[in-house]
Amino acid sequence: MTLIHVPRPPQSALNPDRPINALLKAQIELFHKYEKRLPIQHHTRIYVSTIKTEGEAAEYIRAVTEAIHTVHAEAEAPRAKPPAPKRRRVIEFAAVADEEAERKSASKAKKEKSTAKAASSRKT
Amino acid sequence: MPAGLDNLRHLVVLMMENRSFDHMLGSLKAVDPRIDGITNQLSNPDSTGTLVAPQPLAEFQGQLDPEPDTHFPAVDLQIFGGNTHPNRLANMQGFVKSYFNQNGDVRHSQKIMYYFKQHNLPVLTTLALQFAVFNRWFASIPGPTVCNHAFAHYGTSFGNVGMNPLRVNELVKSVYERLTHAGPRHTAKLYFYDKTSSALGTTRLLRNQPELFGTFQQFLGDCDTGCLPNYSFVSPNYNDHDSGSGWEVANDQHPDHNVQAGEIFIASVYNAIKNSPLWPNTALLIVYDEHGGIYDHVVPPACTPDQFTASAEDTGTGMPFAFDRLGVRVPVILVSPWIPKGTVVDRVFDHASIPATVTRFFLGNYSPRSPRETSADVFIEPIIAPVDPNRNLLSLDAMRTDCPDFDV
């Protein structure tokens, strides 16, 4: 088995201020189209016409990529929730509670009405 | 069934950027005459009419600035030498002229003929000599990056010959959708370098199906744990940027990015697979998307037309294009421990061969696919007996134990 040495590039290879090439320019245009389809709160607020360097391009692409992932994750979250408890039981309880309250309220109103009527008849 | 095919479970494609075959691997002709590289018979005229021969003077960075033009009209000039006659023949005589058109400097334009010495590219040349190198793998279109990437993912560019966003026809599914929606279900993933360097040409998939995507760190982890999908497409880093944990140098080898950084990246992908438990079950295809405007001497052949025609306005040449000719030749290497050392492949391929191979191998017969993909050759034989031994590249009866390692 042969171990082959691979030389590393010099420090000078790094230049985030290098003007963007045709490939990155096309990528920014593509991402800008897709950014416009995102919900407005996920827009980057980066004006793409001002992107001139590789470092700036990278920052914009990162922002849109993260936004795309976030929007999909947010849409997926409700679907991934565990099943809700049976609503029927809750409705039954609620309905019974409501009915009881209604019954009490109606009976109270009836009682007050009859008391008022009796008082009124006593006055007359 | 041949053992190599029987063991194959994973295919990884690594797509680098914008370098021609002669530029990267042309020096290997001197090592192995079967490799169709540089000879002393080759030349291109410069803008003064002086013939310029290829020279082994390519540098890692700083030499191809401005980046050579790869848009359709420029590549047309590179292939046809400026001849616009209807019955013209391709002659590969327009590379220096095309580069001169960009900067008007005669001496600088001659650098488009430069190629790398073998020892300058220890990773790529070692892999080419150790495994299978393709003498006739061409870009799918004589044009730039986006339309060529599209062929690797969809088997067509949907009529696109440029850098515009794809107008995807919903009938033709990407190879990832085919695999992940198939029954029995298969797995597929696009690994882009990190979030600042998303996979170019696949952003529509990113927009609609972000779950198909992973990062290079995830690729390394998936290799390590033996959890690679059936099909993986790996993208390099397309720009210099701060990743949050340090500065990252672009390693896509796109001019004028540093070529050594790309060598390290290729070696990292190879090492990750070779050191993983999946090495016996994985094949790695290293391929460049297009030639980057850099000289190559092999005339691209005609091919089956696609179902689209690009208008004269879209091509910018005054002539329509029926997708009936391939682009310029690019470096391509297939790696597997089941491939005999020193394999040289002479059959014709283009990037439509990628979805064609993946689909045929994992899914068998599948439709609809584009006419270009349907007619493209496959580089891994489907597991359907009898397998033709003359076509099967993973032909060894036992796995090799002499494969190289890289210290990266």
Side-chain angles (χ1 to χ4, degrees), chain A residues 9-54:
Chain A
Q11 284 287 331
S12 59
L14 177 74
N15 180 15
D17 294 329
R18 185 185 297 116
I20 52 173
N21 58 29
L23 187 151
L24 285 170
K25 203 173 285 179
Q27 198 163 6
I28 289 164
E29 285 168 15
L30 286 165
F31 271 83
H32 186 48
K33 281 184 188 296
Y34 303 141
E35 182 192 8
K36 285 194 281 192
R37 288 172 172 259
L38 291 170
I40 198 148
Q41 66 270 27
H42 292 282
H43 286 196
T44 63
R45 306 184 67 169
I46 296 172
Y47 182 46
V48 292
S49 301
T50 62
I51 296 173
K52 302 290 181 204
T53 68
E54 291 198 6

Side-chain angles (χ1 to χ4, degrees), chain B residues 46-47 52 95-101 103-113:
Chain B
D46 68 15
S47 54
V52 182
F95 287 85
V96 182
K97 288 179 195 167
S98 171
Y99 200 35
F100 176 80
N101 286 348
N103 59 12
D105 182 332
V106 176
R107 288 194 64 178
H108 189 73
S109 67
Q110 296 173 350
K111 293 181 179 176
I112 210 71
M113 301 296 286

Side-chain angles (χ1 to χ4, degrees), chain B residues 347-370:
Chain B
R347 286 148 48 200
V348 172
F349 296 87
D350 75 285
H351 304 330
S353 299
I354 294 171
T357 301
V358 174
T359 304
R360 285 277 286 152
F361 186 79
F362 289 115
L363 302 181
N365 292 325
Y366 180 95
S367 63
R369 297 186 296 152
S370 72

Side-chain angles (χ1 to χ4, degrees), chain B residues 6-34:
Chain B
D6 217 20
N7 277 285
L8 189 62
R9 302 282 179 276
H10 309 276
L11 179 60
V12 178
V13 171
L14 166 59
M15 185 166 269
M16 304 295 287
E17 288 288 319
N18 288 41
R19 302 276 169 172
S20 74
F21 184 101
D22 279 345
H23 179 65
M24 300 297 267
L25 298 177
S27 66
L28 296 183
K29 175 81 176 173
V31 182
D32 182 343
R34 295 173 305 151

Side-chain angles (χ1 to χ4, degrees), chain A residues 1-6 9 13 15 18 21-23 27 30-31 33-34 54 58 62 65-66 68 72, chain B residues 17 61 67 126 163 165 195 198 200 203 206-207 210 239-241 247 254 257-258 260 403 405-407:
Chain A
M1 197 182 305
T2 322
L3 182 66
I4 293 161
H5 174 66
V6 187
N15 180 15
R18 185 185 297 116
N21 58 29
L23 187 151
Q27 198 163 6
L30 286 165
F31 271 83
K33 281 184 188 296
Y34 303 141
E54 291 198 6
R62 183 193 58 74
T65 303
E66 282 180 352
I68 291 170
H72 278 266
Chain B
E17 288 288 319
Q61 195 167 27
E67 62 171 306
T126 298
M163 295 292 277
K195 284 181 179 172
S198 304
L200 186 79
T203 43
L206 175 66
R207 194 185 80 208
N239 53 54
D240 289 5
H241 64 269
W247 286 96
H254 188 293
H257 288 154
N258 190 280
Q260 283 181 310
C403 301
D405 283 308
F406 299 105
D407 70 338

Side-chain angles (χ1 to χ4, degrees), chain B residues 82-105:
Chain B
N83 185 352
T84 55
H85 191 271
N87 296 323
R88 62 193 179 154
L89 292 173
N91 58 14
M92 312 306 278
Q93 291 294 296
F95 287 85
V96 182
K97 288 179 195 167
S98 171
Y99 200 35
F100 176 80
N101 286 348
Q102 287 184 257
N103 59 12
D105 182 332

